[in-house]
Amino acid sequence: MGGINTLDKLMVVWAAWAVISSLFHKDILAVSVNRLGLVYNACGVYFLLRVFCQSLDDVVTLCRITAILLVPVSIEMLSEKMTGRNLFSVFGGVEESPEIREGRIRAQGPFAHSILAGTVGAVCLPFVLSLWQQRRKEAMIGIGSCVTMVVASASSGPIVSALAAIGAMMLWRWHNQMRLFRWLAVLGYLGLDLVMKAPAYYLPSRIDLAGGAQDGTGRD
């Protein structure tokens, strides 16, 4: 759409730095392989969407597809939560028995970890919510799937991500004042950094909404 834009350039800069920064780690080869995979996935998906998703109708179609595709994943994660058996294990890549922490089964579905599985549901929540006005039935199906994935993962991170996504959507009515909100966020972070003993970026590690923190700090 109109050639290369600012966001395209930022993605390229991020990708370049993600690869170059691997040189500053001890195990350069392992980190480089990991970063190359990360860049391939992120940039691949981004530029595919840039090419094939060029209108509002394309965006709506993408959201509708997302709502439908999450249904079988959420059903399996709910089954996994209830039975303690990951049905996706027959395809390889994940264990048959999911992780159990503090007596809670942490469903992961086809994903590498329960936190990742729940986070996918959380970040897809705004997509399906956007269908509410035009495609209410599909929106309800998508919302149910996303919430199921978040709850079944039994992890604090996805819960916080879902709440942040909903909060961001609620700020839309003030989207013309986002400059003010951004500055308030920066000032709030600096304020926390001044009053906290640990750096402010440690704050998420103190949040434990799922009751399954591994070491009591809320890292979940």
Side-chain angles (χ1 to χ4, degrees), residues 120-188:
V120 169
V123 300
C124 287
L125 188 56
F127 297 156
V128 298
L129 278 171
S130 66
L131 297 172
W132 187 259
Q133 296 295 331
Q134 298 176 318
R135 304 277 182 172
R136 185 158 299 187
K137 184 177 180 180
E138 292 170 344
M140 293 178 66
I141 293 173
I143 292 170
S145 298
C146 290
V147 172
T148 298
M149 293 174 67
V150 171
V151 174
S153 70
S155 304
S156 297
I159 297 175
V160 174
S161 298
L163 293 175
I166 294 173
M169 293 191 72
M170 293 176 65
L171 290 175
W172 172 254
R173 66 173 61 187
W174 298 289
H175 65 278
N176 292 324
Q177 287 78 42
M178 279 297 101
R179 183 181 179 86
L180 173 62
F181 280 97
R182 289 194 295 268
W183 276 109
L184 288 175
V186 172
L187 293 175

Side-chain angles (χ1 to χ4, degrees), residues 174-220:
W174 298 289
H175 65 278
N176 292 324
Q177 287 78 42
M178 279 297 101
R179 183 181 179 86
L180 173 62
F181 280 97
R182 289 194 295 268
W183 276 109
L184 288 175
V186 172
L187 293 175
Y189 179 88
L190 293 176
L192 287 172
D193 209 38
L194 290 174
V195 300
M196 290 178 60
K197 294 181 179 179
Y201 53 78
Y202 273 84
L203 190 61
S205 69
R206 302 178 182 276
I207 300 174
D208 182 14
L209 299 179
Q214 188 172 21
D215 55 7
T217 64
R219 284 187 285 273
D220 197 25

Side-chain angles (χ1 to χ4, degrees), residues 2-144:
I4 299 177
N5 60 30
T6 303
L7 189 56
D8 296 339
K9 296 176 182 178
L10 289 175
M11 282 296 295
V12 172
V13 170
W14 168 81
W17 175 247
V19 175
I20 294 173
S21 62
S22 62
L23 300 176
F24 299 97
H25 291 262
K26 291 183 178 180
D27 192 347
I28 297 177
L29 180 59
V31 176
S32 296
V33 172
N34 178 270
R35 296 290 176 82
L36 286 170
L38 176 66
V39 168
Y40 176 80
N41 289 332
C43 291
V45 172
Y46 173 78
F47 286 107
L48 277 175
L49 288 176
R50 281 278 285 128
V51 172
F52 294 107
C53 192
Q54 300 190 11
S55 68
L56 183 58
D57 288 338
D58 292 336
V59 174
V60 172
T61 300
L62 178 63
C63 293
R64 293 176 62 191
I65 293 173
T66 300
I68 301 302
L69 288 179
L70 290 181
V71 172
V73 178
S74 64
I75 292 176
E76 191 287 328
M77 288 183 64
L78 182 61
S79 172
E80 184 181 345
K81 181 80 171 177
M82 298 175 65
T83 64
R85 180 172 180 268
N86 190 340
L87 300 179
F88 283 105
S89 62
V90 298
F91 300 108
V94 294
E95 298 292 334
E96 181 177 357
S97 300
E99 179 186 4
I100 300 176
R101 184 180 295 176
E102 299 292 334
R104 295 180 175 87
I105 296 177
R106 308 181 75 187
Q108 67 183 84
F111 302 96
H113 196 278
S114 57
I115 296 178
L116 179 58
T119 301
V120 169
V123 300
C124 287
L125 188 56
F127 297 156
V128 298
L129 278 171
S130 66
L131 297 172
W132 187 259
Q133 296 295 331
Q134 298 176 318
R135 304 277 182 172
R136 185 158 299 187
K137 184 177 180 180
E138 292 170 344
M140 293 178 66
I141 293 173
I143 292 170

